[in-house]
Amino acid sequence: MPTAVITGATAGIGAAFVRPLRDRGYDLVVVARDGDRLRRQVPGAEVIAADLSTTEGCAVVEARLERGVDLVVNNAGRGLSKAFDESTLHEQLGLLDLNVRSVLRLTHAALPPMLAQGSGAIVNISSVAGFSAGVRGATYSASKAWVTNFTESLDLQYRHRGVRALAVCPGFTRTEFHDRAEMDMSAIPSRLWLTAEQVVQTALRDLDRGRTVSVAGPQYKVIVGATKLLPTAARRRASAVVRRRLT
Ligand SMILES: NC(=O)c1ccc[n+]([C@@H]2O[C@H](COP(=O)([O-])OP(=O)(O)OC[C@H]3O[C@@H](n4cnc5c(N)ncnc54)[C@H](OP(=O)(O)O)[C@@H]3O)[C@@H](O)[C@H]2O)c1
């Protein structure tokens, strides 16, 4: 049986990967800080309770990945509601540790066995926020720009050796994410909200189709398409409008 690792599998987008991957015949290794919740929510899976914002937490998962798996979903990530100048350096670095450093470390551990067997896939959960300047903090959107670019580079360099990489770029998705980051999302119109299932269904379809970047929902396909086409000044004006709505 092929094996898939999902980080952040207890809630939101990570939890929504569980059923479709099982339906595709994967044995699951699931990772989050709350091991009891993992065992309750994903019975029968191999459970790794680890804080991926720490070197020690990453090391436990890396040891499992080095034994060889077929699919990694680097999903665990966090936001921060505070402005850059109002947050501590510790908070900023903690965000980078989880959103960037853990993705790099886990990919670095998973890739060699995949290349050795000539097959595998790395699915990194990024964000539409990575396509433009941040409207709240500066670090979250920058972290996701890194994830998307990193993933596109992996796919470019390893596809011909049988290993695929997909950057999943969700827009606003109803999960625990915004409550955890203490963000007030009441100003976001309902047409901009996605479900985690929608994001995952689109991601797996895009992986099957050989795409490198996955954007769920027609509204976000238009927004991302426009973001890429607009000149920088127009993009900044659009970001400023969103920023005024959110702050
Ligand atoms: N929701 C959105 O609107 C949205 C939009 C774009 C992109 N994204 C991205 O999608 C991904 C998943 O977000 P989500 O919305 O599904 O979030 P969520 O509902 O808050 O779930 C986060 C998951 O990650 C785990 N986690 C959090 N911190 C962790 C840590 N330090 N170490 C290990 N596991 C950790 C949580 O479990 P524990 O608390 O037990 O550790 C939980 O299982 C993130 O990368 C996020 O940036 C989300």
Side-chain angles (χ1 to χ4, degrees):
M1 290 260 269
T3 302
V5 176
I6 309 170
T7 69
T10 49
I13 295 167
F17 268 100
V18 167
R19 184 184 289 183
L21 290 185
R22 279 200 156 144
D23 289 348
R24 286 172 177 235
Y26 284 95
D27 277 341
L28 296 184
V29 181
V30 289
V31 184
R33 288 166 300 182
D34 187 339
D36 288 340
R37 191 175 174 193
L38 279 173
R39 273 180 281 275
R40 257 195 330 273
Q41 282 187 212
V42 201
E46 185 181 331
V47 166
I48 303 179
D51 182 347
L52 293 174
S53 64
T54 67
T55 300
E56 301 72 33
C58 285
V60 182
V61 184
E62 285 161 45
R64 177 63 187 87
L65 294 171
E66 282 160 6
R67 284 165 42 207
V69 301
D70 302 278
L71 173 67
V72 180
V73 181
N74 280 313
N75 162 76
R78 58 170 289 199
L80 201 56
S81 62
K82 298 174 186 168
F84 183 72
D85 65 301
E86 288 165 359
S87 55
T88 63
L89 186 59
H90 181 71
E91 288 170 321
Q92 291 290 327
L93 291 174
L95 188 150
L96 274 190
D97 282 342
L98 182 61
N99 292 12
V100 172
R101 198 163 170 268
S102 80
V103 175
L104 185 152
R105 291 190 66 121
L106 270 47
T107 302
H108 197 258
L111 195 58
M114 287 183 179
L115 290 173
Q117 72 183 13
S119 67
I122 310 248
V123 173
N124 290 332
I125 310 305
S126 186
S127 171
V128 294
F131 293 114
S132 47
V135 294
R136 263 190 240 254
T139 312
Y140 181 77
S141 55
S143 76
K144 294 303 186 178
W146 182 89
V147 172
T148 302
N149 189 294
F150 173 66
T151 310
E152 288 187 279
S153 305
L154 291 173
D155 196 64
L156 182 71
Q157 292 170 43
Y158 298 112
R159 181 185 281 246
H160 74 285
R161 294 174 64 185
V163 178
R164 296 280 326 286
L166 177 74
V168 177
C169 301
F172 295 120
T173 308
R174 292 206 187 280
T175 67
E176 298 175 11
F177 179 88
H178 301 100
D179 282 347
R180 286 174 193 259
E182 298 178 346
M183 292 176 188
D184 176 8
M185 302 305 285
S186 53
I188 305 299
S190 56
R191 65 179 177 282
L192 285 184
W193 285 99
L194 302 167
T195 65
E197 289 70 25
Q198 210 178 337
V199 171
V200 170
Q201 198 180 34
T202 305
L204 291 174
R205 196 190 57 210
D206 287 340
L207 187 66
D208 292 342
R209 288 180 177 170
R211 301 226 165 113
T212 310
V213 175
S214 175
V215 176
Q219 66 279 55
Y220 285 106
K221 289 189 195 325
V222 170
I223 290 169
V224 170
T227 305
K228 285 181 175 166
L229 290 174
L230 283 176
T232 308
R235 220 169 48 224
R236 285 178 58 82
R237 276 199 297 279
S239 294
V241 171
V242 179
R243 187 178 173 281
R244 275 198 295 278
R245 285 195 76 134
L246 286 174
T247 51

Short mmCIF file of all heavy atoms in Angstrom, two decimals, residues 8-14 31-34 50-53 75-78 98 125-127 140 144 170-173 175-178 180, ligand 1:
data_model
loop_
_atom_site.label_atom_id
_atom_site.label_comp_id
_atom_site.label_asym_id
_atom_site.label_seq_id
_atom_site.Cartn_x
_atom_site.Cartn_y
_atom_site.Cartn_z
N GLY A 8 -0.79 18.58 10.13
CA GLY A 8 -1.98 19.38 10.45
C GLY A 8 -3.25 18.67 10.05
O GLY A 8 -4.16 19.28 9.47
N ALA A 9 -3.33 17.37 10.39
CA ALA A 9 -4.45 16.55 9.89
C ALA A 9 -5.67 16.58 10.78
O ALA A 9 -6.66 15.92 10.49
CB ALA A 9 -3.97 15.11 9.71
N THR A 10 -5.63 17.36 11.89
CA THR A 10 -6.78 17.33 12.80
C THR A 10 -7.87 18.33 12.43
O THR A 10 -8.98 18.24 12.92
CB THR A 10 -6.36 17.64 14.25
OG1 THR A 10 -5.55 18.81 14.25
CG2 THR A 10 -5.64 16.49 14.89
N ALA A 11 -7.56 19.31 11.61
CA ALA A 11 -8.54 20.38 11.37
C ALA A 11 -8.43 20.88 9.94
O ALA A 11 -7.42 20.65 9.26
CB ALA A 11 -8.28 21.54 12.35
N GLY A 12 -9.48 21.53 9.51
CA GLY A 12 -9.46 22.28 8.27
C GLY A 12 -9.01 21.50 7.05
O GLY A 12 -9.46 20.38 6.79
N ILE A 13 -8.09 22.08 6.30
CA ILE A 13 -7.67 21.53 5.01
C ILE A 13 -6.96 20.18 5.20
O ILE A 13 -7.19 19.23 4.45
CB ILE A 13 -6.79 22.56 4.26
CG1 ILE A 13 -7.64 23.80 3.92
CG2 ILE A 13 -6.18 21.96 3.00
CD1 ILE A 13 -6.85 25.01 3.46
N GLY A 14 -6.12 20.08 6.23
CA GLY A 14 -5.42 18.82 6.48
C GLY A 14 -6.39 17.69 6.77
O GLY A 14 -6.26 16.59 6.23
N VAL A 31 0.17 14.03 11.38
CA VAL A 31 1.02 14.83 12.28
C VAL A 31 0.25 16.06 12.75
O VAL A 31 -0.42 16.72 11.95
CB VAL A 31 2.29 15.30 11.53
CG1 VAL A 31 3.23 16.05 12.48
CG2 VAL A 31 3.02 14.14 10.86
N ALA A 32 0.35 16.35 14.03
CA ALA A 32 -0.13 17.62 14.61
C ALA A 32 0.41 17.65 16.04
O ALA A 32 1.01 16.67 16.50
CB ALA A 32 -1.66 17.71 14.60
N ARG A 33 0.18 18.75 16.75
CA ARG A 33 0.66 18.79 18.14
C ARG A 33 -0.20 17.95 19.05
O ARG A 33 0.29 17.29 19.96
CB ARG A 33 0.71 20.25 18.63
CG ARG A 33 1.81 21.06 18.00
CD ARG A 33 1.62 22.53 18.25
NE ARG A 33 0.36 23.00 17.69
CZ ARG A 33 -0.06 24.25 17.73
NH1 ARG A 33 0.68 25.16 18.32
NH2 ARG A 33 -1.21 24.59 17.18
N ASP A 34 -1.50 17.94 18.82
CA ASP A 34 -2.45 17.26 19.70
C ASP A 34 -2.63 15.79 19.25
O ASP A 34 -3.46 15.48 18.39
CB ASP A 34 -3.79 18.01 19.65
CG ASP A 34 -4.79 17.48 20.66
OD1 ASP A 34 -4.63 16.33 21.11
OD2 ASP A 34 -5.73 18.21 21.00
N ALA A 50 3.77 16.12 17.11
CA ALA A 50 5.02 16.91 17.02
C ALA A 50 4.69 18.37 16.74
O ALA A 50 3.75 18.66 15.98
CB ALA A 50 5.90 16.36 15.90
N ASP A 51 5.46 19.24 17.35
CA ASP A 51 5.34 20.67 17.06
C ASP A 51 6.32 21.00 15.93
O ASP A 51 7.54 21.04 16.15
CB ASP A 51 5.65 21.48 18.32
CG ASP A 51 5.49 22.97 18.09
OD1 ASP A 51 5.38 23.40 16.91
OD2 ASP A 51 5.48 23.72 19.09
N LEU A 52 5.79 21.24 14.76
CA LEU A 52 6.65 21.44 13.58
C LEU A 52 7.31 22.81 13.54
O LEU A 52 8.08 23.10 12.63
CB LEU A 52 5.83 21.20 12.29
CG LEU A 52 5.38 19.75 12.09
CD1 LEU A 52 4.46 19.64 10.88
CD2 LEU A 52 6.58 18.83 11.92
N SER A 53 6.99 23.66 14.52
CA SER A 53 7.73 24.93 14.56
C SER A 53 9.04 24.78 15.33
O SER A 53 9.79 25.74 15.48
CB SER A 53 6.86 26.05 15.17
OG SER A 53 6.57 25.74 16.51
N ASN A 75 0.93 20.67 5.17
CA ASN A 75 -0.25 21.52 5.31
C ASN A 75 -0.21 22.41 6.54
O ASN A 75 -0.71 23.53 6.50
CB ASN A 75 -1.49 20.61 5.36
CG ASN A 75 -2.71 21.31 5.92
OD1 ASN A 75 -3.33 22.12 5.25
ND2 ASN A 75 -3.02 21.03 7.19
N ALA A 76 0.40 21.93 7.66
CA ALA A 76 0.36 22.71 8.91
C ALA A 76 0.93 24.10 8.66
O ALA A 76 2.01 24.25 8.11
CB ALA A 76 1.16 21.99 9.99
N GLY A 77 0.18 25.10 9.07
CA GLY A 77 0.63 26.48 8.89
C GLY A 77 -0.19 27.38 9.79
O GLY A 77 -1.21 26.97 10.34
N ARG A 78 0.27 28.59 9.96
CA ARG A 78 -0.45 29.51 10.84
C ARG A 78 -0.40 30.93 10.31
O ARG A 78 0.44 31.28 9.48
CB ARG A 78 0.13 29.48 12.25
CG ARG A 78 1.59 29.82 12.30
CD ARG A 78 2.10 30.01 13.70
NE ARG A 78 1.59 31.24 14.29
CZ ARG A 78 2.14 31.84 15.35
NH1 ARG A 78 3.20 31.33 15.92
NH2 ARG A 78 1.62 32.95 15.83
N LEU A 98 7.23 27.53 11.19
CA LEU A 98 6.20 26.56 10.79
C LEU A 98 5.92 26.64 9.28
O LEU A 98 5.94 25.62 8.59
CB LEU A 98 4.91 26.81 11.59
CG LEU A 98 3.77 25.82 11.30
CD1 LEU A 98 4.19 24.39 11.64
CD2 LEU A 98 2.51 26.20 12.07
N ILE A 125 0.83 23.21 1.00
CA ILE A 125 -0.32 24.12 1.07
C ILE A 125 0.21 25.54 1.24
O ILE A 125 0.77 25.90 2.29
CB ILE A 125 -1.27 23.74 2.23
CG1 ILE A 125 -1.63 22.24 2.18
CG2 ILE A 125 -2.54 24.59 2.12
CD1 ILE A 125 -2.21 21.72 0.89
N SER A 126 0.02 26.32 0.19
CA SER A 126 0.45 27.71 0.18
C SER A 126 -0.78 28.59 0.38
O SER A 126 -1.65 28.26 1.19
CB SER A 126 1.17 27.98 -1.15
OG SER A 126 1.72 29.26 -1.14
N SER A 127 -0.92 29.66 -0.39
CA SER A 127 -2.10 30.53 -0.26
C SER A 127 -2.15 31.50 -1.42
O SER A 127 -1.09 31.86 -1.97
CB SER A 127 -2.00 31.33 1.05
OG SER A 127 -3.01 32.33 1.10
N TYR A 140 3.25 36.63 6.67
CA TYR A 140 2.44 35.49 6.20
C TYR A 140 2.47 35.40 4.67
O TYR A 140 2.78 34.34 4.11
CB TYR A 140 1.00 35.60 6.69
CG TYR A 140 0.15 34.43 6.22
CD1 TYR A 140 0.25 33.17 6.84
CD2 TYR A 140 -0.72 34.55 5.14
CE1 TYR A 140 -0.49 32.08 6.39
CE2 TYR A 140 -1.46 33.46 4.70
CZ TYR A 140 -1.35 32.24 5.33
OH TYR A 140 -2.07 31.15 4.89
N LYS A 144 4.17 32.47 2.19
CA LYS A 144 3.45 31.67 1.19
C LYS A 144 4.00 31.91 -0.22
O LYS A 144 3.95 31.01 -1.07
CB LYS A 144 1.95 31.98 1.27
CG LYS A 144 1.31 31.52 2.58
CD LYS A 144 1.52 30.03 2.83
CE LYS A 144 0.78 29.52 4.06
NZ LYS A 144 0.94 28.07 4.29
N PRO A 170 -5.06 28.16 -1.54
CA PRO A 170 -6.46 28.45 -1.22
C PRO A 170 -6.66 29.94 -0.97
O PRO A 170 -5.74 30.65 -0.53
CB PRO A 170 -6.71 27.67 0.08
CG PRO A 170 -5.48 26.88 0.35
CD PRO A 170 -4.37 27.51 -0.42
N GLY A 171 -7.90 30.40 -1.23
CA GLY A 171 -8.34 31.69 -0.73
C GLY A 171 -8.94 31.48 0.64
O GLY A 171 -8.66 30.46 1.30
N PHE A 172 -9.77 32.42 1.11
CA PHE A 172 -10.38 32.28 2.45
C PHE A 172 -11.15 30.96 2.53
O PHE A 172 -12.03 30.70 1.72
CB PHE A 172 -11.34 33.43 2.72
CG PHE A 172 -10.66 34.77 2.79
CD1 PHE A 172 -11.02 35.79 1.92
CD2 PHE A 172 -9.67 35.03 3.72
CE1 PHE A 172 -10.41 37.04 1.98
CE2 PHE A 172 -9.04 36.27 3.79
CZ PHE A 172 -9.42 37.27 2.91
N THR A 173 -10.79 30.14 3.51
CA THR A 173 -11.39 28.81 3.65
C THR A 173 -11.89 28.66 5.08
O THR A 173 -11.16 29.00 6.02
CB THR A 173 -10.33 27.72 3.32
OG1 THR A 173 -9.75 28.03 2.05
CG2 THR A 173 -10.95 26.35 3.27
N THR A 175 -12.15 27.20 8.24
CA THR A 175 -11.42 26.22 9.06
C THR A 175 -11.22 26.87 10.44
O THR A 175 -11.84 27.89 10.74
CB THR A 175 -10.02 25.93 8.45
OG1 THR A 175 -9.24 27.12 8.54
CG2 THR A 175 -10.09 25.50 6.99
N GLU A 176 -10.31 26.33 11.24
CA GLU A 176 -10.02 26.93 12.55
C GLU A 176 -8.95 28.03 12.46
O GLU A 176 -8.60 28.66 13.46
CB GLU A 176 -9.54 25.83 13.52
CG GLU A 176 -10.60 24.76 13.76
CD GLU A 176 -10.09 23.60 14.62
OE1 GLU A 176 -8.99 23.70 15.20
OE2 GLU A 176 -10.80 22.58 14.69
N PHE A 177 -8.40 28.19 11.26
CA PHE A 177 -7.23 29.06 11.03
C PHE A 177 -7.41 30.48 11.57
O PHE A 177 -6.56 31.01 12.29
CB PHE A 177 -6.96 29.08 9.52
CG PHE A 177 -5.82 29.92 9.07
CD1 PHE A 177 -4.53 29.39 9.02
CD2 PHE A 177 -6.00 31.22 8.67
CE1 PHE A 177 -3.47 30.15 8.57
CE2 PHE A 177 -4.95 31.99 8.22
CZ PHE A 177 -3.68 31.46 8.17
N HIS A 178 -8.53 31.13 11.23
CA HIS A 178 -8.68 32.55 11.56
C HIS A 178 -8.96 32.74 13.06
O HIS A 178 -8.49 33.71 13.65
CB HIS A 178 -9.78 33.18 10.69
CG HIS A 178 -9.48 33.06 9.22
ND1 HIS A 178 -10.06 32.08 8.43
CD2 HIS A 178 -8.59 33.72 8.44
CE1 HIS A 178 -9.55 32.18 7.21
NE2 HIS A 178 -8.66 33.15 7.19
N ARG A 180 -7.80 30.73 15.41
CA ARG A 180 -6.51 30.51 16.08
C ARG A 180 -5.65 31.77 16.02
O ARG A 180 -4.92 32.08 16.95
CB ARG A 180 -5.72 29.39 15.39
CG ARG A 180 -6.21 27.99 15.64
CD ARG A 180 -5.41 27.06 14.75
NE ARG A 180 -5.97 25.73 14.65
CZ ARG A 180 -5.52 24.68 15.32
NH1 ARG A 180 -4.51 24.81 16.14
NH2 ARG A 180 -6.08 23.51 15.18
N1 LIG B 1 -8.07 28.80 6.13
C1 LIG B 1 -7.70 29.63 5.20
O1 LIG B 1 -8.41 30.62 4.87
C2 LIG B 1 -6.41 29.41 4.46
C3 LIG B 1 -6.19 30.15 3.28
C4 LIG B 1 -5.00 29.97 2.59
C5 LIG B 1 -4.06 29.07 3.04
N2 LIG B 1 -4.27 28.38 4.19
C6 LIG B 1 -3.22 27.44 4.63
O2 LIG B 1 -3.78 26.15 4.76
C7 LIG B 1 -3.03 25.40 5.72
C8 LIG B 1 -3.99 24.72 6.69
O3 LIG B 1 -4.72 25.74 7.34
P1 LIG B 1 -6.18 25.49 7.92
O4 LIG B 1 -6.98 26.67 7.54
O5 LIG B 1 -6.67 24.13 7.62
O6 LIG B 1 -5.81 25.63 9.49
P2 LIG B 1 -6.46 25.04 10.83
O7 LIG B 1 -7.90 24.69 10.65
O8 LIG B 1 -6.09 26.03 11.88
O9 LIG B 1 -5.63 23.67 11.05
C9 LIG B 1 -4.26 23.73 11.33
C10 LIG B 1 -3.72 22.31 11.53
O10 LIG B 1 -2.31 22.41 11.69
C11 LIG B 1 -1.91 21.87 12.97
N3 LIG B 1 -0.84 22.69 13.48
C12 LIG B 1 -0.86 24.01 13.81
N4 LIG B 1 0.32 24.41 14.31
C13 LIG B 1 1.13 23.32 14.28
C14 LIG B 1 2.48 23.08 14.68
N5 LIG B 1 3.23 24.06 15.24
N6 LIG B 1 2.99 21.84 14.53
C15 LIG B 1 2.24 20.84 14.00
N7 LIG B 1 0.95 21.00 13.59
C16 LIG B 1 0.41 22.23 13.74
C17 LIG B 1 -3.18 21.93 13.84
O11 LIG B 1 -3.21 20.93 14.85
P3 LIG B 1 -2.58 21.16 16.34
O12 LIG B 1 -3.13 22.46 16.84
O13 LIG B 1 -2.99 19.96 17.13
O14 LIG B 1 -1.09 21.21 16.16
C18 LIG B 1 -4.25 21.64 12.79
O15 LIG B 1 -4.34 20.25 12.57
C19 LIG B 1 -2.05 26.40 6.35
O16 LIG B 1 -0.77 26.22 5.79
C20 LIG B 1 -2.62 27.76 5.98
O17 LIG B 1 -1.63 28.76 5.91
C21 LIG B 1 -5.43 28.52 4.91
#
